[in-house]
Amino acid sequence: GADCKENREVILNAEYHFLTAEKMHEPLKRRIGEINESTMQEIGQHKNGKKVYASEWFEDGLYHTLYLDERKLASDKEKRERNVAKALKEYEEIEQLLAKRGAKAVQKKLSKKIKRVSKTCEYIIQQNISVQKRLAPKKDLLASLEKDADLDGKFVLVSSKRINPKKKLKLYRKKDVIEKMISDIKSVMKLRPFRVWNEDEVRGCVLLKIIAILMIS
C-alpha cells in the first residue's frame, strides 16, 4: 500500500506531514492490548447515540491515536457472527456429504468452472479451479474466526504531527472525497499513462482532466 517506511521518509524529507491509518501488525496489537478501555477519552458520538473514544501515545517520533467506535464495534461484531454462522453451515454440509458419499463427492462440490469473457467477446478463457479444503476440528475453525475479536470497533491513526484526536479523525474521513475524485479522473476521464515527458505537457494534460471532471460534476 501507499503507507510504508520509504514513503513516510519521502514526505518528511520534503518537509510535509502525513496522516494515515496504521496497519494492524502484531506489535501494534500488543500495544493496543495494554490500553485500558476505561481510560479512553470520549471525543464524540454518532446520531444514533453510539460514542467514539480515543487514546494517544508518542512512539518512534510519531503520534498514534487509538479509536474505539461503538457503531463500528456493533457492525464488526455482527459481521463476525455472520461469518461464523456461514462457516459452520458450510462445515456441516461438507461433513454430511463426506459421510454419505465420500471424499470424491466433496472434491466435486468444491470444484468450480470459471469462464472469463472479454467485453468485446474476442476471446473466452475457460479454466478449472480446484478449491482445496479439509475438515479441521470445529474448535480450530471457531478459534480462527474469533481471532482478534478484541479489536472489533478499534483502529489506529498515525501522524507525523500532533493533532487533536477529534480533528485527526475528521481530517482522515475527508480521504474518501479525495479518493473518489481520483477514481473519477481514472475511470470517467480515462486518465492513462502519459506518452509525453515534457513537464509542461504533463501539467497541461492534468489541468484539462481536472477542468473536465469539475464540469461533469
Side-chain angles (χ1 to χ4, degrees):
D3 179 36
C4 62
K5 183 179 179 181
E6 292 76 12
N7 283 350
R8 289 182 179 187
E9 290 176 353
V10 169
I11 293 169
L12 294 175
N13 290 337
E15 298 183 356
Y16 286 99
H17 290 283
F18 67 82
L19 164 61
T20 185
E22 195 160 10
K23 296 174 183 176
M24 283 292 183
H25 47 77
E26 289 304 320
L28 181 60
K29 291 179 184 178
R30 289 195 294 271
R31 183 69 180 83
I32 292 173
E34 295 170 358
I35 297 174
N36 188 337
E37 292 183 12
S38 63
T39 63
M40 296 181 72
Q41 177 188 2
E42 182 183 335
I43 63 167
Q45 64 179 14
H46 299 286
K47 291 181 180 179
N48 61 3
K50 298 290 186 181
K51 297 178 181 180
V52 182
Y53 301 88
S55 179
E56 299 178 277
W57 74 90
F58 181 76
E59 187 177 5
D60 297 330
L62 299 175
Y63 298 90
H64 306 259
T65 307
L66 168 66
Y67 293 90
L68 171 58
D69 187 333
E70 289 182 341
R71 186 175 70 175
K72 186 177 185 299
L73 173 62
S75 174
D76 289 347
K77 186 178 179 181
E78 184 181 346
K79 182 179 178 181
R80 187 181 297 276
E81 288 173 351
R82 286 200 308 268
N83 289 339
V84 169
K86 183 180 177 181
L88 286 175
K89 182 181 177 182
E90 183 184 33
Y91 181 97
E92 289 170 1
E93 287 175 353
I94 294 174
E95 193 177 39
Q96 290 172 7
L97 186 62
L98 182 64
K100 289 180 180 179
R101 302 179 61 185
K104 287 187 177 180
V106 173
Q107 183 62 36
K108 186 177 180 181
K109 177 180 173 62
L110 299 178
S111 297
K112 297 180 180 179
K113 287 185 177 180
I114 295 180
K115 291 184 178 179
R116 296 180 181 175
V117 185
S118 69
K119 290 181 180 179
T120 56
C121 294
E122 292 174 354
Y123 59 88
I124 297 176
I125 299 175
Q126 184 173 347
Q127 63 187 62
N128 293 327
I129 297 180
S130 178
V131 182
Q132 295 182 356
K133 292 187 178 181
R134 66 181 182 86
L135 285 175
K138 280 188 180 180
K139 63 177 183 178
D140 293 345
L141 174 67
L142 292 172
S144 65
L145 291 169
E146 292 291 348
K147 186 181 179 183
D148 295 334
D150 57 325
L151 296 176
D152 286 353
K154 296 178 182 178
F155 57 96
V156 177
L157 298 183
V158 59
S159 62
S160 56
K161 182 179 180 180
R162 186 169 189 178
I163 309 172
N164 175 277
K166 189 172 183 179
K167 184 179 179 182
K168 181 183 280 191
L169 184 58
K170 189 176 180 180
L171 284 171
Y172 182 74
R173 284 175 174 167
K174 290 183 178 180
K175 174 176 71 84
D176 186 55
V177 177
I178 299 169
E179 288 183 340
K180 282 180 179 176
M181 186 172 182
I182 293 173
S183 176
D184 286 343
I185 292 173
K186 291 166 70 177
S187 58
V188 180
M189 303 309 302
K190 308 297 182 186
L191 181 64
R192 295 291 182 269
F194 299 127
R195 303 301 179 196
V196 293
W197 290 264
N198 181 285
E199 185 176 348
D200 288 338
E201 291 176 334
V202 172
R203 287 180 176 273
C205 183
V206 172
L207 177 61
L208 289 173
K209 297 286 186 183
I210 291 174
I211 292 173
I213 199 70
L214 288 173
M215 291 179 70
I216 288 175
S217 298

